[in-house]
Structures are given as structure tokens and as C-alpha cells.
Amino acid sequence: MSAFGLMDMRFGKFKTDETEAAMPTYETPVSLGPSATANMTVTTATAEDYGDNVLQVKISEFVSAAIPAELNDCPKEALALVVGATYNAEKKEISYAGEDSAPFGGLSYIRTIKRKGSSATIYEAHFYTKVQGALGNENAQTKGSSITFQHATINFTAYPPLMPGGAWHDVAEFDTLAGAQAYINEKFTPTPGG
């Protein structure tokens, strides 16, 4: 499998809080703008128990995942929502304060992939149930003899849901982009009883 594309990154703030008996629901998701990269690194807690000089039990449990995302141009209103900042639409101004608190929400994006021996494009939809975003580093560089583009960065952290057995990350493959987008729409707005 070879991945070669990334698109349609969205964030939806929790509408209802999660509990040990129920997964969260989400507000209408916002587009985070054209996506450049999203790289997931998983952290697990592991333990090994030896007896009679051999490994008897090994446990490995998901703790969190870091997902730094680079965006070509994240709308300021969407960025403010993700990191808990204040956005003034009239002034087109985002204001950051020390007491800003990033909300929990769902994160989605679509990867395009190819498989050996096939010319078909596969659309791989990713949905993270519970994430929190933080501002990444920002770079500015003068124009010289060559041009280097700068991206907006949001550092997402994915967490396990409170509900035992609840998925923290869902991935599904589709033959069409529309199919992948419909899947993500359903994740953000589950059908009754679904």
C-alpha cells in the first residue's frame, strides 16, 4: 500500500460529554482548510511479568496518540475553535489568552492510497473519537532567491474514550471520495440507534 494524498481535515467540538455508558456527540464539524500533513505517533503503556525465567504475561495498552497536522491555510475562526481562543469575525482577529482551554472534539481526514497491481484510487477515511488541539510553532521567513512556503500547525492529541471498549480511532476504505465523506459525516452525526 502506498499513501500519496491527504484531504478534507475536519474538527467537531463535543456537543454532549462522553460518559462510561455513552460515546460523545459532536457539533457540526468545521473544515481546517487544505491539509498538508497529519502524522500519527502512538504511545502505549506496557508491562512484562516474568516467572520461572520466562515471560508469563505481557500487557500493552493505548495511552494517547500525537497527531501534528500541517495546514496550508487554516481559517482563523476554525483555529480559534480548536485551540479555545477567541475569534472576532468583524475584525477578522483571533486573540490568544493564557487561560484559553482547548475543547475536546472529533477529528477526521481522508488519505488517498494505491495498492500494488491496481490503478484504482482508494479513499481511506480516518476518524478520531476524542482529540484536543494545541497551537504548533509558527515560522516566518523573508523572501530571498527562492520561496519557502510556511504552514499553520496544530498539534492534536488523541485519547481513549471513557466508555470501556470504545474506539479511539476508526479507519474505513472506500472506492469513492463521496463514500469516504459520507462515512465521516455519519461519525460526526450518528443515526438514531446507530
Side-chain angles (χ1 to χ4, degrees), residues 15 18 28 45 60-61 95 106 108 137 153 160 176-177 191-192:
K15 183 176 184 178
E18 59 174 340
T28 302
S60 181
E61 294 183 356
S95 298
S108 69
N137 295 330
T153 304
T176 66
L177 176 59
T191 55

Side-chain angles (χ1 to χ4, degrees), residues 29-46:
V30 296
S31 171
L32 300 182
S35 314
T37 64
N39 301 304
M40 179 182 66
T41 304
V42 175
T43 299
T44 56
T46 59

Side-chain angles (χ1 to χ4, degrees), residues 30 34 73 85 173:
V30 296
D73 183 21
E173 293 182 359

Side-chain angles (χ1 to χ4, degrees), residues 12-37:
K13 185 178 172 181
F14 277 9
K15 183 176 184 178
T16 60
D17 289 333
E18 59 174 340
T19 68
E20 290 187 1
M23 297 293 276
T25 60
Y26 306 91
E27 295 181 1
T28 302
V30 296
S31 171
L32 300 182
S35 314
T37 64

Side-chain angles (χ1 to χ4, degrees), residues 18-93:
E18 59 174 340
T19 68
E20 290 187 1
M23 297 293 276
T25 60
Y26 306 91
E27 295 181 1
T28 302
V30 296
S31 171
L32 300 182
S35 314
T37 64
N39 301 304
M40 179 182 66
T41 304
V42 175
T43 299
T44 56
T46 59
E48 296 178 344
D49 191 17
Y50 286 82
D52 289 341
N53 299 321
V54 295
L55 179 63
Q56 299 290 329
V57 179
K58 181 173 182 177
I59 298 173
S60 181
E61 294 183 356
F62 173 77
V63 174
S64 65
I67 312 163
E70 288 189 22
L71 304 147
N72 296 95
D73 183 21
C74 184
K76 285 187 172 38
E77 187 171 5
L79 179 59
L81 173 69
V82 170
V83 302
T86 303
Y87 180 70
N88 183 317
E90 186 178 320
K91 295 181 179 180
K92 298 181 181 178
E93 174 188 66

